[in-house]
Amino acid sequence: MTSAPTPMPAPDTGVPCDPLGPLKDREQVAERLLDASARHSFDPDTELDWDAPLEADKWFWPPELVSLYDTPLWRRMPLEQRQDLARHEAASLASLGIWFEIILMQLLVRHIYDKPVTSAHVRYALTEIADECRHSKMFARMIQRGGAPAYPVSRLNHQLARVLKTVSTTPGSFACTLLGEEILDWMQRLTFPDQRVQPLVRGVTRIHVVEEARHVRYAREELRRQMVTAPRWERELTRISCGEAARVFSLAFVNPEVYRNVGLDKREAVAQVRASGHRREVMQTGARRLTDFLDEIGVLRGVGRRLWRSSGLLA
Ligand SMILES: [Fe+2]
Ligand SMILES: [Fe+2]
């Protein structure tokens, strides 16, 4: 078994690091994030060269982050098929990213519905929604450029998320936001500096990492605040809904159709991914920054913790 790769240190995001300390003033946090947004925001349509030819022999996703890496099946696959799988998995993760972002945009709109419209907190939420609009368009363009199909989540998960984004209360919304953002972010931090990867994918992941750092900060601050101020029933509901979201997330992470589309036996591939020690380590390492934080603010308790364990994302 090979060990999970270590991401590059974060690029300069303009956002100071986030030590656990006393709750910070909501408006102050938002002002700083607005400031960082003004300094480090990108328009992917003009920032990236969408017409540049793809580079032969380059990967669409680092091989160590491909689900089948280091399994017996992987060892039997020729390089071309491995790279093809990486291309399809990149499209699958980008599709998952768009699904999450569309959910998040709705959660943010609901979050600010009854907040003061001129507050920095609301202005920042609107800025973040604008970021996510650009990201989703960018991911869609990347999928098209790579030539693999878009991979929607299953009908069941699609409908489950419809319920969640309609009824979820604030702390649950921010907990799910972090789940969607932090693990993909960890993978993207490994992707953008990797010279084996297609320049377009490196550009897309670099933009996303820089802008996502603010989103993570905003969601963390808000979730910490909510876990102190929300009534007991809501904190308990957050623990359970977040655990359930982690379970669904880990199952939906890579759409199993990718295996069939590169000529593999879907059932055999899924079984090998489930049995892969490398994959488990990658997913748990990717989730660790998040699980440590959730543990510290009291989200990983009781039934919620058991659900996290069953997701395979928590050791
Ligand atoms: Fe995003
Ligand atoms: Fe985001």
Side-chain angles (χ1 to χ4, degrees):
M1 189 177 97
T2 48
S3 60
T6 317
M8 292 277 289
D12 176 20
T13 59
V15 182
C17 65
D18 181 28
L20 274 179
L23 284 180
K24 297 185 182 69
D25 178 75
R26 211 184 209 173
E27 284 296 278
Q28 251 175 26
V29 170
E31 288 288 2
R32 277 169 113 161
L33 293 173
L34 279 165
D35 221 52
S37 307
R39 280 182 284 119
H40 302 274
S41 287
F42 304 92
D43 176 0
D45 286 336
T46 53
E47 180 78 16
L48 302 173
D49 185 356
W50 294 95
D51 298 323
L54 296 172
E55 290 188 22
D57 304 335
K58 292 227 161 157
W59 294 78
F60 274 79
W61 207 240
E64 299 80 11
L65 300 181
V66 174
S67 59
L68 273 173
Y69 181 81
D70 204 32
T71 59
L73 194 53
W74 177 266
R75 281 175 228 130
R76 292 204 302 269
M77 289 161 64
L79 177 64
E80 200 181 318
Q81 195 180 25
R82 292 176 179 179
Q83 291 196 317
D84 211 27
L85 180 60
R87 184 168 65 90
H88 281 263
E89 287 203 11
S92 174
L93 290 174
S95 304
L96 183 80
I98 296 172
W99 179 59
F100 258 116
E101 290 181 338
I102 289 174
I103 295 168
L104 173 61
M105 286 184 241
Q106 183 170 350
L107 292 176
L108 284 169
V109 167
R110 286 184 47 222
H111 172 65
I112 59 177
Y113 186 63
D114 12 62
K115 303 231 163 10
V117 290
T118 53
S119 65
H121 187 72
V122 167
R123 272 192 297 129
Y124 177 73
L126 291 169
T127 306
E128 183 165 322
I129 293 165
D131 290 349
E132 300 296 22
C133 282
R134 295 194 306 276
H135 296 169
S136 288
K137 289 189 290 175
M138 169 173 81
F139 288 148
R141 268 189 103 168
M142 186 187 84
I143 295 170
Q144 282 189 317
R145 192 72 185 85
Y151 284 96
V153 295
S154 71
R155 202 72 221 144
L156 175 66
N157 288 342
H158 188 81
Q159 299 299 4
L160 277 176
R162 188 194 305 283
V163 177
L164 172 105
K165 72 194 175 67
T166 310
V167 304
S168 164
T169 60
T170 302
S173 301
F174 281 103
C176 293
T177 302
L178 287 170
L179 175 67
E181 289 182 336
E182 294 219 30
I183 300 172
L184 282 170
D185 184 64
W186 178 85
M187 289 195 166
Q188 292 179 343
R189 279 169 199 263
L190 284 164
T191 304
F192 80 81
D194 192 330
Q195 300 198 356
R196 299 168 299 172
V197 174
Q198 291 285 350
L200 180 67
V201 177
R202 294 182 62 190
V204 164
T205 48
R206 180 178 51 82
I207 288 177
H208 203 249
V209 163
V210 171
E211 299 192 340
E212 237 17 64
R214 307 192 284 266
H215 303 182
V216 167
R217 175 78 195 280
Y218 185 71
R220 280 187 174 213
E221 289 293 343
E222 198 54 32
L223 183 57
R224 285 184 62 208
R225 183 174 299 113
Q226 298 281 338
M227 288 306 285
V228 173
T229 56
R232 199 179 154 157
W233 68 265
E234 202 174 16
R235 282 181 281 152
E236 195 46 50
L237 179 67
T238 301
R239 291 184 187 108
I240 296 169
S241 59
C242 180
E244 174 62 9
R247 204 187 56 75
V248 170
F249 177 84
S250 67
L251 291 174
F253 196 68
V254 169
N255 186 320
E257 284 307 309
V258 296
Y259 307 120
R260 207 201 308 269
N261 286 346
V262 299
L264 296 170
D265 181 283
K266 185 167 121 178
R267 282 174 64 173
E268 189 191 4
V270 169
Q272 293 211 9
V273 171
R274 290 224 170 110
S276 164
H278 172 80
R279 187 59 174 175
R280 195 174 323 118
E281 201 182 328
V282 162
M283 295 303 285
Q284 288 182 359
T285 309
R288 191 158 300 135
R289 198 176 52 168
L290 172 62
T291 48
D292 285 353
F293 171 73
L294 293 177
D295 208 11
E296 262 167 301
I297 62 167
V299 176
L300 297 188
R301 289 187 195 154
V303 181
R305 189 176 191 96
R306 286 200 288 281
L307 284 164
W308 267 91
R309 279 246 165 78
S310 80
S311 77
L313 294 171
L314 182 68

